[in-house]
């Protein structure tokens, strides 16, 4: 028996030695050059992202210092009653509220829309209900009838199928005869609650500036303090609104419509060809096409519209897949059209193609995962490949700090945000490649983000709500995160034993984060402000 054990040990030793020899033979001619090339490519993308972040920081600083508020850059006069014209001095406005099985929030959005300050005979509220649950459809219809009995001009609209998802619903809603009376269109998703003065603050821009096609408000979040995951989302979205949207609005009068909390000139929508469902980002599609027709956009950072963040990891993953795959797929379909367009300036085309699409929607996702979760960990096995400190520490640190300016109250959570964003970059990178290559069956997949609405207002109700669903193992355990976490942990162990760069500190932290997410333990811890 001892002889058999000794033979087995000897055999394993020989095999390990052979693998070591093969590794040494392959490493120098193949592994080192390929990994070095990957490092160079990632460093180049990091520099591009760094330059973009610094550029936006400079622009936003100049905007703040110079006080370039939209009210000063564009003509704006408050709406007022006209003794002769009466309410006809107010333009006709259509409010669209698309929804799909929104049991928890339908009353909030409908109530907020019906509470907008605008003459009742100059506004039409259109509830586009794609619900497949008959009970929910009945509840929404009853809510619409309740407001109709109060004198609100509200229309309940359904269709036979969900072709085109949200884009299809919006497109179908525009076909009704009464829409022809309307000059402007405001859109609010089912969890959005505009303030009563929303129209009074936005429509003057459209009335007095005939080339303005869109006025976009800023999202705020009623459940940002629900748990650590919602705080991370708030940090990312605040940067998007406070920096990215403002920079686009201030420099090129272009940015991507956020799909809700904005008001369009219907003429701009029609000239651009209306709503299209060729990607999962019909809002971005329309905004790019309308901008190519010469229409300008305004972003109002002080115009806050309450909304709800996904509070479950499953809902957040689906949302991020749609937000990453859709823009990449749209870029693939529109890059040639944008480049050949003759109605906008060269600089605007460069901004849209390079900054808006390539850097923010593609490079930003890919470099985060490939560099920080694949390439850097792999270099611990190949010490011949070195990464300069400026690319490893300085550039990522500056980018991280610049991302934090939108949410100062969460600055102490910056390390958590970095680790969590790296985990999410796995899904964003996968979705980005799917969109670019139009690969897989999920390119045009649309899953409505689950909202919890009022049931999250009290802790007791929240706890009761969390106990109800029966979570299947497939929903709770995420294999890709676990494999990535295991890879990072292995790299960390090797670096701790044989490395000299102390990468293992980061590698262990990142591995732990991947494992926590992999086992579904996210969205439970409530951080202290």
């Amino acid at each position: 028996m001892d002889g058999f054990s000794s033979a087995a040990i000897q055999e394993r030793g020989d095999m390990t030695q052979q693998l070591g020899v093969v590794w040494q033979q392959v490493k120098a001619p193949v592994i080192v050059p390929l990994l070095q090339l990957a490092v160079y490519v990632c460093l180049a993308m990091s520099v591009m992202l760094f330059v973009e972040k610094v550029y936006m920081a400079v622009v936003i600083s100049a905007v703040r210092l110079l006080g370039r508020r939209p009210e000063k850059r564009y003509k704006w006069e408050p709406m007022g009653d006209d003794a002769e014209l009466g309410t006809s001095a107010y333009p006709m406005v259509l409010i669209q509220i698309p929804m799909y099985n929104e049991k928890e929030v339908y009353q909030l959005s409908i109530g907020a829309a019906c509470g907008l300050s605008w003459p009742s005979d100059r506004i039409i509220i259109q509830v586009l209900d794609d619900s497949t649950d008959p009970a929910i459809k009945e509840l929404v219809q009853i809510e619409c009838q309740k407001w109709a009995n109060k004198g609100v001009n509200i229309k309940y609209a359904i269709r036979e199928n969900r072709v085109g998802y949200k884009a299809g619903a919006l497109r179908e809603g525009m076909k009704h005869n009464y829409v022809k009376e309307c000059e402007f269109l405001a859109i609010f998703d089912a969890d959005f609650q505009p303030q009563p003065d929303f129209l009074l603050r936005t429509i003057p821009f459209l009335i007095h500036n005939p080339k303005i096609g869109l006025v976009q408000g800023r999202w705020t979040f009623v459940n940002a303090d629900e748990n650590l995951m919602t705080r991370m989302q708030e940090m990312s979205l605040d940067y998007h609104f406070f920096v990215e949207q403002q920079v686009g609005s201030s420099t090129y009068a272009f940015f991507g419509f956020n799909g809700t909390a904005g008001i369009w000139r219907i003429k701009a929508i029609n000239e651009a060809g209306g709503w299209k469902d060729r990607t999962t980002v019909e809002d971005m599609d329309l905004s790019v096409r309308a901008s190519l027709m010469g229409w300008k956009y305004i972003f109002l950072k002080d115009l806050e519209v309450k909304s709800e963040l996904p509070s479950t990891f499953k809902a957040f993953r689906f949302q991020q897949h749609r937000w990453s795959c859709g823009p990449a797929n749209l870029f693939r379909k529109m890059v040639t059209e944008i480049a050949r367009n003759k109605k906008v300036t060269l600089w605007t085309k460069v901004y849209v193609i390079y900054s808006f699409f390539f850097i923010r929607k593609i490079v930003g996702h890919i470099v985060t995962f490939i560099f920080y979760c694949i390439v850097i960990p792999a270099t611990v096995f190949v010490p011949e490949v070195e990464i300069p400190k400026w690319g490893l520490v300085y550039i990522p640190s500056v980018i991280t700090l610049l991302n934090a300016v939108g949410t100062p109250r969460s600055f102490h959570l910056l390390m958590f945000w970095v680790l969590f964003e790296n985990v999410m970059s796995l899904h964003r990178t996968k979705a980005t490649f799917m969109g670019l290559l139009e690969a897989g069956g999920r390119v045009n997949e649309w899953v409505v983000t689950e909202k919890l609405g009022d049931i999250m207002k009290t802790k007791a109700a929240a706890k009761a709500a969390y106990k109800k669903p029966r979570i299947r193992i497939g929903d709770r355990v995420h294999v890709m995160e676990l494999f990535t976490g295991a890879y990072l942990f292995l790299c960390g162990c090797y670096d701790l034993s044989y490395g000299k760069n102390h990468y293992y500190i980061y590698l262990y932290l990142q591995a732990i984060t991947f494992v926590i997410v992999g086992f579904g333990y996210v969205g439970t811890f409530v951080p202290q402000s």
Side-chain angles (χ1 to χ4, degrees):
M1 194 70 176
D2 291 340
F4 177 79
S5 300
S6 300
I9 294 172
Q10 180 66 36
E11 185 178 349
R12 284 198 296 268
D14 293 341
M15 184 177 297
T16 303
Q17 187 176 6
Q18 290 175 2
L19 289 174
V21 172
V22 171
W23 167 254
Q24 291 299 326
Q25 290 177 342
V26 173
K27 186 171 72 169
V30 179
I31 304 298
V32 172
L34 287 177
L35 191 56
Q36 190 68 66
L37 176 62
V39 168
Y40 289 149
V41 172
C42 289
L43 287 174
M45 289 194 290
S46 295
V47 170
M48 288 189 286
L49 187 60
F50 171 78
V51 171
E52 177 72 8
K53 296 289 184 180
V54 171
Y55 161 74
M56 288 194 290
V58 171
V59 171
I60 206 67
S61 299
V63 169
R64 299 287 178 85
L65 290 173
L66 298 175
R68 296 192 66 194
R69 294 171 56 85
E71 290 83 357
K72 294 183 178 180
R73 295 175 55 217
Y74 299 94
K75 187 176 181 181
W76 189 93
E77 294 178 6
M79 301 294 299
D81 295 331
D82 191 297
E84 296 183 3
L85 298 175
T87 59
S88 61
Y90 291 78
M92 200 74 180
V93 180
L94 175 69
I95 309 292
Q96 285 188 326
I97 309 175
M99 57 177 59
Y100 173 75
N101 293 337
E102 310 285 2
K103 182 180 180 180
E104 307 299 343
V105 294
Y106 73 93
Q107 288 179 309
L108 297 175
S109 57
I110 293 175
C114 292
L116 290 169
S117 299
W118 204 253
S120 58
D121 62 332
R122 307 300 293 170
I123 188 171
I124 301 173
I125 297 170
Q126 187 186 62
V127 178
L128 304 170
D129 190 9
D130 268 2
S131 299
T132 53
D133 188 326
I136 297 177
K137 292 181 76 169
E138 184 178 357
L139 289 172
V140 175
Q141 195 167 7
I142 291 172
E143 183 70 12
C144 292
Q145 187 59 50
K146 182 184 80 172
W147 285 101
N149 293 338
K150 295 180 180 180
V152 176
N153 188 3
I154 186 169
K155 310 288 186 182
Y156 177 73
I158 61 174
R159 54 188 183 138
E160 294 181 356
N161 53 60
R162 292 188 66 220
V163 173
Y165 302 106
K166 181 180 175 181
L170 296 172
R171 183 172 58 235
E172 197 69 23
M174 298 295 288
K175 295 179 180 179
H176 293 273
N177 289 329
Y178 55 79
V179 174
K180 297 177 182 178
E181 307 171 19
C182 302
E183 188 176 351
F184 304 115
L185 162 67
I187 301 173
F188 301 104
D189 283 354
D191 58 313
F192 279 74
Q193 306 165 53
Q195 296 296 318
D197 64 349
F198 182 90
L199 297 179
L200 294 173
R201 295 177 64 182
T202 55
I203 286 184
F205 284 107
L206 295 163
I207 290 177
H208 300 296
N209 303 274
K211 291 306 295 178
I212 298 298
L214 165 68
V215 180
Q216 173 74 57
R218 178 169 66 89
W219 300 3
T220 57
F221 313 105
V222 297
N223 65 331
D225 291 326
E226 186 178 319
N227 53 55
L228 189 59
M229 189 182 72
T230 55
R231 286 288 285 271
M232 302 299 99
Q233 294 177 64
E234 181 192 36
M235 292 176 71
S236 298
L237 288 170
D238 278 351
Y239 178 81
H240 168 69
F241 285 107
F242 275 105
V243 179
E244 291 179 345
Q245 296 294 72
Q246 276 200 84
V247 168
S249 176
S250 302
T251 54
Y252 298 96
F254 168 80
F255 50 82
F257 173 46
N258 294 118
T260 179
I263 181 165
W264 279 92
R265 189 187 301 273
I266 292 180
K267 181 181 178 182
I269 295 177
N270 293 335
E271 283 190 5
W275 298 101
K276 293 186 178 182
D277 57 10
R278 55 182 173 174
T279 69
T280 57
V281 283
E282 76 294 324
D283 44 10
M284 188 181 294
D285 190 342
L286 176 62
S287 56
V288 173
R289 284 184 284 113
S291 72
L292 296 180
M293 301 297 294
W295 292 100
K296 307 295 183 183
Y297 308 148
I298 298 176
F299 172 74
L300 302 178
K301 75 175 182 66
D302 297 324
L303 183 64
E304 300 180 0
V305 182
K306 295 178 181 179
S307 63
E308 182 180 326
L309 293 164
S311 52
T312 66
F313 184 64
K314 179 180 178 181
F316 184 53
R317 277 209 313 170
F318 279 125
Q319 182 199 69
Q320 292 303 297
H321 173 85
R322 190 172 76 245
W323 286 4
S324 302
C325 182
N329 193 228
L330 182 63
F331 176 69
R332 170 193 172 104
K333 292 177 176 177
M334 289 202 70
V335 62
T336 304
E337 180 182 349
I338 297 169
R340 292 177 177 176
N341 183 273
K342 297 181 180 180
K343 292 186 178 181
V344 297
T345 65
L346 174 63
W347 286 114
T348 299
K349 289 191 284 188
V350 170
Y351 174 78
V352 174
I353 293 175
Y354 178 77
S355 295
F356 180 76
F357 273 114
F358 184 65
I359 297 298
R360 298 182 206 169
K361 311 301 181 186
I362 298 175
V363 168
H365 299 327
I366 293 175
V367 71
T368 302
F369 178 68
I370 299 297
F371 194 30
Y372 302 111
C373 300
I374 300 295
V375 173
I376 291 176
T379 60
V380 303
F381 298 109
V382 189
E384 295 90 341
V385 177
E386 294 185 0
I387 304 175
K389 187 172 290 187
W390 58 263
L392 190 67
V393 178
Y394 302 143
I395 282 182
S397 298
V398 173
I399 290 175
T400 300
L401 291 173
L402 291 177
N403 269 293
V405 299
T407 318
R409 77 185 187 99
S410 296
F411 190 81
H412 62 292
L413 300 174
L414 202 55
M415 180 58 69
F416 292 100
W417 178 81
V418 170
L419 296 172
F420 183 69
E421 282 291 292
N422 286 351
V423 173
M424 292 310 302
S425 70
L426 165 64
H427 298 285
R428 292 172 183 146
T429 299
K430 182 180 72 171
T432 298
F433 279 119
M434 287 175 63
L436 285 174
L437 303 175
E438 288 196 333
R442 295 184 60 195
V443 174
N444 293 312
E445 180 185 39
W446 181 287
V447 178
V448 176
T449 305
E450 179 187 17
K451 295 106 181 176
L452 299 179
D454 287 337
I455 66 174
M456 298 310 298
K457 287 186 177 179
T458 63
K459 292 183 179 179
K463 289 178 181 178
Y466 280 132
K467 291 178 182 178
K468 288 180 182 179
R470 294 182 178 179
I471 302 176
R472 295 176 300 178
I473 293 179
D475 292 334
R476 184 68 182 263
V477 177
H478 308 292
V479 177
M480 291 181 64
E481 283 88 343
L482 292 176
F483 271 118
T484 308
Y487 164 71
L488 290 167
F489 183 76
L490 175 64
C491 295
C493 291
Y494 187 88
D495 187 57
L496 179 62
S497 301
Y498 305 105
K500 300 178 181 179
N501 297 314
H502 303 292
Y503 290 173
Y504 65 87
I505 299 173
Y506 157 73
L507 294 172
Y508 281 147
L509 289 173
Q510 191 65 73
I512 291 169
T513 308
F514 267 99
V515 171
I516 290 173
V517 174
F519 281 116
Y521 289 103
V522 291
T524 57
F525 171 66
V526 180
Q528 299 297 317
S529 297

